Amino acid sequence: MKELKTVIFDMDGLMFDTEMMYYTANQKAADEIGLSFTYEYYERYIGASDEEFFANLYKDFKDDEKVDAFIEKSRVYLLDHIESAGILVKPGLKELLAFLEEKGIRKGIASSSRRNMIDLCVNSAGIAHYFDEIVSRDQVEFAKPSPEIFEKAWNLFDGEKDETVILEDSMNGIRAAFDAGIPVIMVPDLFQPTNEAEEKSLVIRKDLFEVKHFLQENWIFSN
């Protein structure tokens, strides 16, 4: 067994149940301004960057004024939701973070969200203190499935790639980790694993409790 030194977390859909929160804010904004937005449309961009999502909104709806309003209102409704209701933490997250902290494992976030959103989410959940490094979409040129964000995050830590584990829920994230040459564990959120996910993941586990048990059983810890 190899010693584990670093765990890098995706955020949306992996640490927090944010995808439905984002969709709800999007749909509320779309309904208010009369944009024919649907869950099926939203689903196509789960795991994509905001830039990709926004660019396709402008291309597909061909109404810059409505899309501008949609983006702004969605942001407002999302922030209102987080401030009023907080953020829903995925099962096992806090237990996994506490375990990794106890074992002296370094922890990072590599997310397609922008830094202000990452900070808002981790602060709302009361877990910001666990993370040693954060790499956000605004710190890299290319979004997932490019491996750039995971390469950048990994380079902030000492150690080898096979002493690192990435945790992901989306196919874009799985592809990015695989192409970065870093072992990745998939914890599915809204989509069931595909054959590609099974081939490119170290293992697939249903939640972060199972991830904790897998790490305990298959890695060496110095503490």
Side-chain angles (χ1 to χ4, degrees), residues 94 97-99 101 105-108 126-132:
K94 291 186 177 181
L97 288 171
F99 167 74
E101 186 79 2
I105 305 303
R106 300 163 306 189
K107 298 165 289 297
I127 60 171
H129 63 284
Y130 281 114
F131 294 100
D132 304 290

Side-chain angles (χ1 to χ4, degrees), residues 39-48 52 56 59-60 191:
Y39 179 75
E40 288 71 27
Y41 186 89
Y42 172 84
E43 192 177 50
R44 287 157 51 187
Y45 298 101
I46 291 174
E52 181 182 350
N56 280 281
K59 178 170 67 73
D60 294 337
F191 298 112

Side-chain angles (χ1 to χ4, degrees), residues 46-103:
I46 291 174
S49 66
D50 285 348
E51 287 85 353
E52 181 182 350
F53 179 47
F54 295 161
N56 280 281
L57 286 170
Y58 287 110
K59 178 170 67 73
D60 294 337
F61 291 102
K62 298 178 173 59
D63 189 327
D64 289 3
E65 186 175 344
K66 277 191 175 182
V67 172
D68 286 344
F70 170 83
I71 291 169
E72 177 57 25
K73 286 180 180 292
S74 293
R75 184 186 68 81
V76 170
Y77 292 144
L78 178 62
L79 295 177
D80 286 348
H81 176 87
I82 294 173
E83 289 172 4
S84 63
I87 192 160
L88 188 59
V89 175
K90 283 284 192 167
L93 175 65
K94 291 186 177 181
E95 291 82 357
L96 175 58
L97 288 171
F99 167 74
L100 295 174
E101 186 79 2
E102 176 191 343
K103 296 297 184 182

Side-chain angles (χ1 to χ4, degrees), residues 67-207:
V67 172
D68 286 344
F70 170 83
I71 291 169
E72 177 57 25
K73 286 180 180 292
S74 293
R75 184 186 68 81
V76 170
Y77 292 144
L78 178 62
L79 295 177
D80 286 348
H81 176 87
I82 294 173
E83 289 172 4
S84 63
I87 192 160
L88 188 59
V89 175
K90 283 284 192 167
L93 175 65
K94 291 186 177 181
E95 291 82 357
L96 175 58
L97 288 171
F99 167 74
L100 295 174
E101 186 79 2
E102 176 191 343
K103 296 297 184 182
I105 305 303
R106 300 163 306 189
K107 298 165 289 297
I109 296 173
S111 171
S112 296
S113 289
R114 294 195 168 273
R115 181 58 187 258
N116 62 347
M117 182 55 64
I118 298 172
D119 289 342
L120 177 64
C121 290
V122 296
N123 286 322
S124 176
I127 60 171
H129 63 284
Y130 281 114
F131 294 100
D132 304 290
E133 302 287 352
I134 295 175
V135 181
S136 58
R137 175 63 184 93
D138 28 354
Q139 292 175 263
V140 294
E141 183 176 358
F142 300 106
K144 302 172 189 176
S146 165
E148 181 187 4
I149 196 166
F150 287 135
E151 291 279 9
K152 187 176 183 70
W154 176 75
N155 279 317
L156 295 173
F157 298 98
D158 297 326
E160 303 298 324
K161 288 186 174 180
D162 61 0
E163 298 171 329
T164 303
V165 168
I166 290 170
L167 305 180
E168 262 288 356
D169 69 290
S170 74
M171 271 314 306
N172 276 345
I174 298 298
R175 293 173 184 130
F178 182 82
D179 288 346
I182 303 172
V184 57
I185 297 174
M186 184 181 193
V187 185
D189 181 31
L190 298 181
F191 298 112
Q192 289 304 304
T194 61
N195 289 338
E196 182 186 3
E198 292 176 356
E199 291 168 2
K200 293 184 175 180
S201 300
L202 184 62
V203 292
I204 297 171
R205 291 293 182 263
K206 72 175 184 180
D207 59 30

